[in-house]
Structures are given as C-alpha cells and as structure tokens.
C-alpha cells in the first residue's frame, strides 16, 4: 500500500520496520492494555487488525491468565478496534475490514486450545459483522498456518524444527509474511465480491491428506 502511495497508520506497541517511511505514521498502543485507542485523524478505505499470539500448551497446563490474554489480544481487542475505527471507513468506496484467524480453528491441532478458542471468536465476529455491515462494508478474515515471523521464531529457530514444521504441510513449506500480506492486500483492495469469508493460506494443512 505504501509503494502505491497510500497513507498508512500503524497501531502497535513499537514503531516497527515501517517507521520513518513516507506516508507511514505510527500510533503507539498496547492491545493487552486498557488505554483508549488512539485517534486516526482521517477517513480511510480499510482497517486491518493483525495482532495475534502463539501460546502452545497442553490443555491442563493452560492458566487463567493464558486464556484471558489470548481472548483479549485476539478477539476482544479486535472487536473494540473495529468499533473504534468503523467511523473512519464509513462512506468509503469499497470499504473493508480485515481480521486474522488461524488454521487451528477449523483443523484440530494439539496444544492449540487457547489460540483456537480465541480465534474461533474472531471467525464468528467476521461473519456476524459482515452480515450487519453489508452492503457498504466488506468484512473478511485470513487464517494462516505457521508463518515465518518473529512471533514464530521459537518454533523455527533450528534447521531441525523448521524441517519438521514444513513436513507437516502437504506443500512441505512454511508460509512467509509477504505471502500472507499479499493475500490481505488483495482481499482489502480488489476482491469486491468477497465478504464474510475466512480464507485459508496454510500449505494445505487441514485440507489435504497425503
């Protein structure tokens, strides 16, 4: 979007690698905190809620804090994010909301109880909000499998771990952030007959048996 000359606001705890680039503004906020979301002083064509977490534990080892944080970061804050910035996109041509789920919601994976439960709420939010906001605003979600990002570094920090993770996918590969971002870009800007959908980008995991 920045390469096309769009103005982009990023809301996160830290500025990140886009800080300082033309047309990019960072607004600090911790989505696990209780502070007010910052004001975005302009109209927009779309909003995307991207925060997520990976807490992989056996069911009986999950703590109350684990569950509270997973639901707060992944689902509750997505709700308040959409509520806060809906006014910024109302009236835009082909306005769009993009949320993020996980392959673990539709494909039962061991040790994913916390995140699958939280992201399951995101999928419900996606469909309900799409129904309520149609036809003026489209709402969709992307559900990736394991993707090579800093969040997943602990799962991919050795050749053996990376090879094992890749082997679990029919395409024998781990996803990249750029692949997921490209799908998100098209969903938000070009797929104008798409709403209420949860799109998997997962190397075939959970869909194909081999």
């Amino acid at each position: 979007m920045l390469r096309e000359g769009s103005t982009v606001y990023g809301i996160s705890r830290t500025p990140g690698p886009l800080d300082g680039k033309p047309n990019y503004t960072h607004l600090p906020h911790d989505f696990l905190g209780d502070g007010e979301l910052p004001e975005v002083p302009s109209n927009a064509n779309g909003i995307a809620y991207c925060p997520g977490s990976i807490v992989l534990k056996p069911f009986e080892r999950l703590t109350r804090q684990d569950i509270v944080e997973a639901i707060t970061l992944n689902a509750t804050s997505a709700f308040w994010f959409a509520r806060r910035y809906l006014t910024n996109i109302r009236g835009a041509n082909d306005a769009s909301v993009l949320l993020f789920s996980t392959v673990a919601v539709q494909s039962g994976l061991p040790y994913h109880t916390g995140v699958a439960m939280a992201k399951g709420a995101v999928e419900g939010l996606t469909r309900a909000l799409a129904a309520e906001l149609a036809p003026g605003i489209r709402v969709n979600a992307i559900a990736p499998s394991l993707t090579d990002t800093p969040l997943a570094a602990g799962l991919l920090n050795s050749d053996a771990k990376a090879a094992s993770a890749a082997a679990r996918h029919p395409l024998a590969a781990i996803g990249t952030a750029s692949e997921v971002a490209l799908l998100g870009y098209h969903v938000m800007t070009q797929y104008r007959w798409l709403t209420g959908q949860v799109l998997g980008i997962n190397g075939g995991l959970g869909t194909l048996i081999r």
Side-chain angles (χ1 to χ4, degrees), residues 27-107:
L27 301 174
H29 182 75
D30 183 352
F31 285 97
L32 276 175
D34 55 6
E36 290 290 326
L37 282 160
E39 179 182 359
V40 175
S42 67
N43 294 329
N45 292 320
I47 56 175
Y49 185 80
C50 307
S53 60
I54 302 178
V55 179
L56 305 183
K57 288 184 178 181
F59 174 73
E60 293 177 308
R61 286 183 52 200
L62 285 167
T63 66
R64 179 177 293 274
Q65 187 65 20
D66 289 333
I67 297 302
V68 168
E69 289 189 359
I71 292 175
T72 298
L73 180 63
N74 292 284
T76 307
S77 289
F79 172 91
W80 291 117
F81 173 86
R83 172 81 79 82
R84 176 70 170 87
Y85 300 115
L86 205 57
T87 55
N88 293 81
I89 63 174
R90 284 194 187 278
N93 181 35
D94 188 37
S96 178
V97 177
L98 180 64
L99 306 175
F100 280 84
S101 183
T102 170
V103 66
V105 174
Q106 300 299 326
S107 304

Side-chain angles (χ1 to χ4, degrees), residues 1-8 23 185-186 189-190:
M1 290 180 177
L2 288 174
R3 283 196 296 268
E4 289 189 345
S6 298
T7 298
V8 178
N23 299 326
Y185 168 79
H186 287 300
T189 65
Q190 297 181 21

